[in-house]
């Protein structure tokens, strides 16, 4: 790979880091071509972009993207593949699914909306993360709940009061 190709790759990785906001760095070394092709196909089916790159180029792309990626630098060893996704959990779920067929890919690190997760032991945690939309929906539901309870109480109280008035009128 010549200098211009490396520059282009760093530029492309930088743009993807900025565009997606979520990425996973994995170890896919020693996998057969058939297994790598299977991973690529499943990534495509799950709207995940996969890129294999040298660790030094990944680090340069992270530096160019801005933000604090320094905790990730220590895991940039050996062979690395990057999974980019708009979904914070899709790559984790795919990695977990792929691990049922073998011991790789191994999660080195994940960057999710400015939060850094280091190590393969974080995989279960990453599969359970909720999206921003899900969290906002839950907060709205919690905020609406007290108002619904008040309205419900007033409505049921009104029905009781109407029943009492009706009974009094019938006796009246």
């Amino acid at each position: 790979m010549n200098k211009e190709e490396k520059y282009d790759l760093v530029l492309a990785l930088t743009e993807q880091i900025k565009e997606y906001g979520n990425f996973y760095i994995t170890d896919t070394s020693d996998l057969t071509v058939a297994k790598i092709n299977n991973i690529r196909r499943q990534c495509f089916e799950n709207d995940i972009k996969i890129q294999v790159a040298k660790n030094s180029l990944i680090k340069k792309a992270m530096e160019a993207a801005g933000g604090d990626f320094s905790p990730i630098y220590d895991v940039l060893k050996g062979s690395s593949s990057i999974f980019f996704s708009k979904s914070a959990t899709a790559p984790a779920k795919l990695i977990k699914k792929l691990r049922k067929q073998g011991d790789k890919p191994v999660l080195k690190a994940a960057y999710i909306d400015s939060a850094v997760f280091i190590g393969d032991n974080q995989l279960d945690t990453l599969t359970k993360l909720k999206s921003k939309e899900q969290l906002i929906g839950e907060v709205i539901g919690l905020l609406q709940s007290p108002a619904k309870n008040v309205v419900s109480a007033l409505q049921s109280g009104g029905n009781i009061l109407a029943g009492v008035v009706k009974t009094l009128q019938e006796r009246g």
Side-chain angles (χ1 to χ4, degrees):
M1 184 178 268
N2 67 34
K3 205 172 199 175
E4 188 176 320
E5 291 171 330
K6 289 179 183 179
Y7 176 79
D8 290 342
L9 180 58
V10 169
L11 189 60
L13 288 172
T14 302
E15 290 304 314
Q16 290 169 336
I17 289 169
K18 289 178 181 179
E19 177 187 347
Y20 286 95
N22 304 312
F23 64 88
Y24 287 62
I25 299 175
T26 65
D27 176 3
T28 54
S29 62
D30 304 326
L31 291 177
T32 65
V33 172
K35 287 184 179 179
I36 291 289
N37 287 339
N38 178 46
I39 291 171
R40 288 185 185 281
R41 182 180 47 75
Q42 290 193 47
C43 283
F44 179 77
E45 290 170 359
N46 288 285
D47 202 24
I48 299 168
K49 184 168 177 54
I50 183 173
Q51 178 73 49
V52 178
K54 288 187 170 196
N55 293 316
S56 59
L57 301 179
I58 294 170
K59 184 177 179 182
K60 285 181 182 184
M62 286 191 281
E63 289 169 347
D68 184 17
F69 299 103
S70 57
I72 298 174
Y73 298 159
D74 290 339
V75 301
L76 292 176
K77 297 172 182 145
S79 178
S80 295
S81 299
I82 307 177
F83 293 70
F84 293 101
S85 177
K86 294 286 185 188
S87 165
T89 59
K93 291 175 181 176
L94 177 60
I95 291 168
K96 199 165 184 175
K97 178 181 171 187
L98 292 167
R99 293 281 288 279
K100 291 178 183 175
Q101 302 164 0
D103 60 346
K104 291 203 177 171
V106 173
L107 178 66
K108 292 181 177 184
Y111 184 84
I112 312 295
D113 291 326
S114 77
V116 176
F117 299 84
I118 303 290
D120 197 58
N121 60 337
Q122 299 292 318
L123 196 56
D124 285 334
T125 302
L126 289 164
T127 60
K128 296 172 186 165
L129 287 179
K130 293 184 179 181
S131 70
K132 284 181 183 177
E133 292 79 16
Q134 289 171 319
L135 292 173
I136 290 170
E138 286 181 10
V139 169
I140 290 171
L142 290 171
L143 293 173
Q144 287 179 339
S145 182
K148 286 181 181 177
N149 290 341
V150 169
V151 170
S152 176
L154 290 174
Q155 286 177 337
S156 66
N159 291 340
I160 292 171
L161 185 58
V164 170
V165 169
K166 184 178 178 184
T167 305
L168 291 174
Q169 286 175 345
E170 289 172 355
R171 291 185 184 169

